[in-house]
């Protein structure tokens, strides 16, 4: 029989022949989007950022400002929330939890004030605390039991949907009785 002869595959491009696949693991590796200013957020930093009122024990979000290279946090901490443990002339010491091999380590890092934002993670809790205390005081005054627990959003109530329009009536459709097609 005749033997099928296939053409030889083309040689690989010269760049792949002797390359060791360069790969970088620098401190800012893969931060092209993370460490770039957001759209329409370029320009000088507002003075209020430097005058931000931060106290020890406050919750803060670490959000690196790419235009300030000094005192910048490492990329892992970008977007993390921590608690302030120290204040220096220009910087803020923050305690951040970091998962490492199945355990959580509390890391203490110092970050310049430009890379810090006040966290809103406690605002809902604090507002709920105020309203709960007010409701408790009201309940103590009136003697009515009050439920302070949050409830999940319940399913909607069922309802009957009637046909709209003038003289509209419901029609019941019956399936055709089975008949052998002979």
């Amino acid at each position: 029989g005749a033997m099928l002869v296939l053409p030889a595959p083309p040689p690989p491009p010269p760049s792949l022949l002797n390359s060791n696949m360069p790969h970088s693991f620098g401190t800012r590796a893969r931060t092209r989007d993370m460490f770039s200013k957001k759209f329409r957020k370029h320009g000088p930093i507002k003075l209020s950022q430097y005058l931000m009122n931060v106290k020890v024990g406050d919750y803060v979000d670490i959000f690196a400002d790419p235009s300030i290279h000094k005192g910048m946090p490492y990329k892992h901490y970008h977007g993390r929330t921590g608690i302030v443990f120290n204040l220096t002339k220009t910087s803020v010491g923050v305690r951040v939890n970091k998962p490492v091999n199945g355990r959580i380590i509390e890391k203490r890092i110092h970050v310049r004030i430009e890379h810090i934002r006040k966290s809103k993670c406690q605002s809902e809790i604090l507002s709920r605390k105020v309203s709960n205390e007010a409701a408790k005081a009201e309940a103590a005054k009136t003697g009515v039991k009050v439920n302070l627990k949050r409830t999940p959003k319940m399913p909607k109530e069922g309802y009957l949907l009637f046909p709209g329009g003038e003289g509209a009536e419901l029609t019941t459709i019956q399936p055709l009785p089975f008949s052998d097609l002979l």
Side-chain angles (χ1 to χ4, degrees):
M3 211 170 99
L4 182 69
V5 179
L6 293 170
S15 62
L16 291 177
L17 278 176
N18 194 12
S19 81
N20 293 329
M21 296 298 279
H23 202 173
S24 62
F25 293 99
T27 48
R28 289 182 62 149
R30 299 167 215 43
T31 56
R32 178 184 185 156
D33 295 326
M34 186 190 290
F35 288 165
S36 61
K37 285 272 207 182
K38 301 292 173 262
F39 179 58
R40 293 175 66 187
K41 291 279 182 275
H42 293 258
I45 295 180
K46 296 191 178 85
L47 213 57
S48 59
Q49 179 70 35
Y50 292 100
L51 300 171
M52 192 165 58
N53 189 13
V54 183
K55 297 190 290 294
V56 172
D58 282 358
Y59 281 81
V60 291
D61 296 332
I62 297 170
F63 197 93
D65 188 317
S67 63
I68 307 292
H69 299 160
K70 280 189 168 186
M72 201 178 199
Y74 180 66
K75 64 188 176 193
H76 171 271
Y77 301 104
H78 179 81
R80 309 271 167 175
T81 302
I83 300 170
V84 175
F85 76 89
N86 186 26
L87 296 170
T88 66
K89 182 166 61 76
T90 53
S91 301
V92 178
V94 187
R95 293 182 303 154
V96 191
N97 288 336
K98 181 179 183 180
V100 180
N101 293 337
R103 67 197 195 275
I104 293 175
I105 300 176
E106 183 193 77
K107 306 282 274 189
R108 288 170 174 251
I109 60 168
H110 278 81
V111 183
R112 280 211 181 193
I113 194 90
E114 294 96 317
H115 310 293
I116 289 289
R117 292 178 182 181
K118 277 278 185 78
S119 183
K120 296 192 175 81
C121 66
Q122 293 286 90
S123 56
E124 195 267 339
I125 296 169
L126 294 173
S127 64
R128 207 156 42 82
K129 212 170 164 185
V130 170
S131 63
N132 281 359
E133 291 303 321
K136 261 192 236 172
E138 186 63 37
K141 224 182 280 177
T142 56
V144 181
K145 256 198 167 181
V146 65
N147 181 24
L148 300 175
K149 290 183 180 177
R150 293 172 292 173
T151 53
K153 193 178 175 187
M154 293 309 214
K156 288 178 189 167
E157 287 290 314
Y159 62 95
L160 255 174
L161 184 66
F162 291 101
E166 281 296 314
E169 48 188 57
L170 288 172
T171 53
T172 307
I173 302 170
Q174 291 292 341
L176 289 169
F178 175 77
S179 62
D180 260 346
L181 302 168
L182 290 172

